[in-house]
Amino acid sequence: MPPAAFVYAELHGPDPVNSTLGQPGPEIDLQGLGLLDITLLSDNRNNTSAGFYTFADAGDATLFATKTLSDKARSLGVTYVSRLFDAPSVRCASLEMNSPHFAGVLAKPVKAFVYAEMQVSVPFENAPWRDRNPVLKTQPGLLAKTWLSGLRTNTLGGFYAFDSVETAWAYALDVVPKTAIAVQAAPYTRVFNASQSEEANRYSNSPYFD
């Protein structure tokens, strides 16, 4: 089933729990929750519990990004961030970048993830992805990118998979700021060490792990 929407979410607190839903066991019915897959994100350098969620229905994604996360954050006594993204509009651009969310297959094991978003409002059909993709394909260590287009906001971003923590940090520290300056947009960036959530991701149907 093709994805209809993506949600990126963070919980902020002193004790990261590896997932905004907790670590799902093999008995979790992802389809029953409206989820196609979950990629759990964690890194002790930023002390944040996060996740990248794929939904078959935009309504389910909206409910998750609002009420579900609000209830979870309140129960833990922490603040949260959630972002909603339209999936069909980024399909072609993401296919070119080997996105596992659109049937891409990684050439190497993923070792790190980068989430990046620019505070702009550009309908994705006007986004410069055709010019940007060839440049991204030369980026050291980049295995895949899922383009992101904000649902009802048209913000631009990406969810990236890298072959090492070092190449992920290099991209986040060197490339993202330069892109932000070039497009005159405020960026939001996070780096996650994939090994810290690999075991949990094998239970959550993440497309980044076999």
Side-chain angles (χ1 to χ4, degrees):
M1 182 179 296
F6 301 115
V7 172
Y8 172 78
E10 296 177 1
L11 289 180
H12 307 137
D15 184 23
V17 292
N18 258 348
S19 168
T20 52
L21 287 177
Q23 294 189 18
E27 75 280 359
I28 293 294
D29 180 8
L30 299 180
Q31 295 288 343
L33 296 174
L35 282 158
L36 296 176
D37 56 67
I38 306 170
T39 299
L40 307 175
L41 305 168
S42 181
D43 197 311
N44 55 19
R45 288 183 62 171
N46 59 37
N47 203 32
T48 296
S49 168
F52 190 76
Y53 303 83
T54 306
F55 287 83
D57 179 82
D60 289 335
T62 301
L63 181 65
F64 177 81
T66 54
K67 186 180 186 308
T68 303
L69 284 171
S70 176
D71 291 346
K72 182 69 172 180
R74 183 182 295 275
S75 72
L76 295 172
V78 300
T79 56
Y80 76 100
V81 167
S82 63
R83 295 287 186 269
L84 272 165
F85 299 100
D86 177 68
S89 65
V90 302
R91 180 179 181 275
C92 289
S94 299
L95 274 170
E96 279 197 8
M97 293 305 300
N98 196 39
S99 168
H101 298 282
F102 296 97
V105 178
L106 301 183
K108 298 179 181 179
V110 59
K111 297 299 182 181
F113 296 103
V114 172
Y115 170 83
E117 185 182 1
M118 298 290 170
Q119 194 180 34
V120 294
S121 182
V122 179
F124 200 74
E125 61 266 25
N126 298 328
W129 64 267
R130 292 176 180 83
D131 296 327
R132 186 67 181 151
N133 278 359
V135 177
L136 285 170
K137 288 178 181 179
T138 69
Q139 181 65 35
L142 182 62
L143 300 174
K145 174 179 180 176
T146 301
W147 279 88
L148 301 174
S149 178
L151 194 64
R152 295 183 291 275
T153 64
N154 293 320
T155 54
L156 292 177
F159 185 60
Y160 305 78
F162 283 87
D163 67 0
S164 73
V165 173
E166 291 75 20
T167 54
W169 274 103
Y171 183 81
L173 294 178
D174 298 332
V175 179
V176 174
K178 291 177 182 177
T179 303
I181 292 169
V183 300
Q184 293 291 284
Y188 186 88
T189 316
R190 290 284 189 175
V191 180
F192 299 98
N193 186 329
S195 65
Q196 294 179 202
S197 54
E198 180 176 353
E199 184 177 354
N201 274 315
R202 295 190 184 280
Y203 289 111
S204 63
N205 205 35
S206 171
Y208 294 92
F209 300 90
D210 295 331

